[in-house]
Amino acid sequence: MNELLNPLVDIVRQERSALIEGWIEYFSPEERESEMRYYADFLSFFEECLQSDLDPMSDESVALSNFLKKVAEIRGDERFYNFRNSVYTCYLKFPLFKALDKKGVFHYEIAAKMTAFFESLTSRLIFNVLQENNRIQQASTAELSEREAPISEIWKGILLVSIVGTLDSNRVIQVIDKILGTLERLESEHVIIDINAIFDVNTEVANQLRKLYSAISMMGSQAYLTGISKNIAKAMTHLDLSIGEVKTFRSTRQAVEFILKGTTVS
């Protein structure tokens, strides 16, 4: 172990109670009992980190990071990452600094090493939070995408795609990819596109629907448009919007009946 850290090792081993008392001064009386336990556990982990020269990549440092991650879960992210307008972990070193200063062994080298260690520890925790938030966001986006344009085979050879929300150029690419992938897998001959839950029908939406029709046709399948409500029909007429050769129906049932009458689908 680096001799630079010897005074710190002695303090952690011999003055544990004083360090804990210095720590709980940051908290209200009702919080102090739990914080005493947290800081006592922290000191145990920290002592092991000292044995590995405060190497932020050591197994001991990873163990300390995992412990603090649990503390964050218990305290709540808001209280942990906004602790006294900073991060909880930034304050853990202050009782140690005070004890070193009291013994007259607080100097630049040891302060710099400890600060670097705690900054690394804090960065790792924040990075883990960002990773987890990103994972949750990606999962939510994928789930939302699945809900907004679910595809189901409602009859042999007939797919139903329900589009919810808005249909812009970015989203239509995702929907097209999803439909074409399903067509390739199932070799369906008919695709019913239900637009009953589209928020607004305008020139952009009409253009994207034509793109959908073209992409489906290129796969050798036939597209049908359903969910044409009175308001949608009026809006399209008023705006003089055309969706080309796409066959339109008021309901999915009408589209299915039309397909079954003209095909051998069973």
Side-chain angles (χ1 to χ4, degrees):
M1 186 183 71
N2 192 330
E3 291 185 1
L4 175 71
L5 301 176
N6 285 341
L8 197 53
V9 173
D10 291 339
I11 287 172
V12 171
R13 289 176 177 174
Q14 300 170 13
E15 302 184 25
R16 182 172 296 247
S17 296
L19 291 171
I20 293 172
E21 287 298 322
W23 172 251
I24 64 173
E25 290 179 1
Y26 291 118
F27 300 90
S28 61
E30 58 269 19
E31 294 179 294
R32 290 179 178 177
E33 184 177 351
S34 60
E35 286 300 327
M36 286 177 67
R37 295 196 299 271
Y38 296 155
Y39 204 72
D41 290 339
F42 157 73
L43 290 173
S44 297
F45 282 105
F46 184 66
E47 184 178 350
E48 294 180 0
C49 291
L50 290 171
Q51 301 303 318
S52 59
D53 295 333
L54 294 184
D55 177 4
M57 303 305 295
S58 67
D59 292 341
E60 291 80 7
S61 295
V62 172
L64 175 55
S65 178
N66 289 336
F67 162 71
L68 291 170
K69 185 178 178 182
K70 288 295 182 184
V71 174
E73 291 174 2
I74 294 169
R75 289 185 59 84
D77 286 350
E78 179 64 27
R79 295 178 64 203
F80 188 88
Y81 291 101
N82 292 289
F83 178 69
R84 301 173 70 90
N85 297 318
S86 185
V87 181
Y88 186 89
T89 50
C90 295
Y91 277 78
L92 292 170
K93 60 182 177 290
F94 290 153
L96 297 165
F97 280 179
K98 290 179 181 178
L100 287 166
D101 187 49
K102 188 175 180 180
K103 282 186 171 293
V105 291
F106 186 56
H107 49 77
Y108 174 79
E109 288 80 6
I110 195 168
K113 191 168 185 65
M114 286 181 63
T115 298
F117 174 78
F118 278 94
E119 285 182 352
S120 175
L121 190 67
T122 301
S123 296
R124 175 183 288 161
L125 287 165
I126 292 175
F127 180 71
N128 287 339
V129 169
L130 293 175
Q131 274 191 318
E132 179 63 15
N133 289 343
N134 187 52
R135 184 194 66 77
I136 292 172
Q137 184 177 12
Q138 288 179 342
S140 298
T141 300
E143 182 182 354
L144 183 60
S145 176
E146 183 65 28
R147 289 203 310 266
E148 288 183 338
I151 300 177
S152 56
E153 187 175 36
I154 58 174
W155 201 281
K156 183 180 178 182
I158 304 177
L159 295 181
L160 172 64
V161 183
S162 300
I163 299 177
V164 179
T166 57
L167 192 64
D168 55 26
S169 56
N170 290 327
R171 187 166 175 226
V172 79
I173 292 173
Q174 299 174 351
V175 175
I176 287 174
D177 285 343
K178 191 173 181 181
I179 292 173
L180 297 188
T182 306
L183 283 175
E184 187 174 41
R185 188 176 73 254
L186 299 179
E187 299 182 351
S188 303
E189 298 177 3
H190 308 275
V191 181
I192 299 172
I193 304 168
D194 181 11
I195 64 168
N196 183 57
I198 283 185
F199 293 156
D200 186 29
V201 176
N202 51 38
T203 304
E204 171 74 358
V205 171
N207 288 335
Q208 304 314 325
L209 289 173
R210 284 195 288 267
K211 287 181 183 179
L212 268 176
Y213 171 78
S214 297
I216 292 168
S217 296
M218 287 179 185
M219 291 289 289
S221 300
Q222 179 65 48
Y224 309 85
L225 200 63
T226 69
I228 307 293
S229 66
K230 179 179 70 175
N231 290 336
I232 290 178
K234 286 174 63 177
M236 295 183 72
T237 302
H238 177 71
L239 295 171
D240 194 24
L241 299 179
S242 169
I243 52 175
E245 302 173 6
V246 186
K247 292 183 174 65
T248 61
F249 300 88
R250 184 182 302 174
S251 68
T252 299
R253 187 188 69 183
Q254 289 178 345
V256 172
E257 289 174 349
F258 175 83
I259 293 169
L260 295 180
K261 284 179 181 178
T263 69
T264 57
V265 176
S266 58

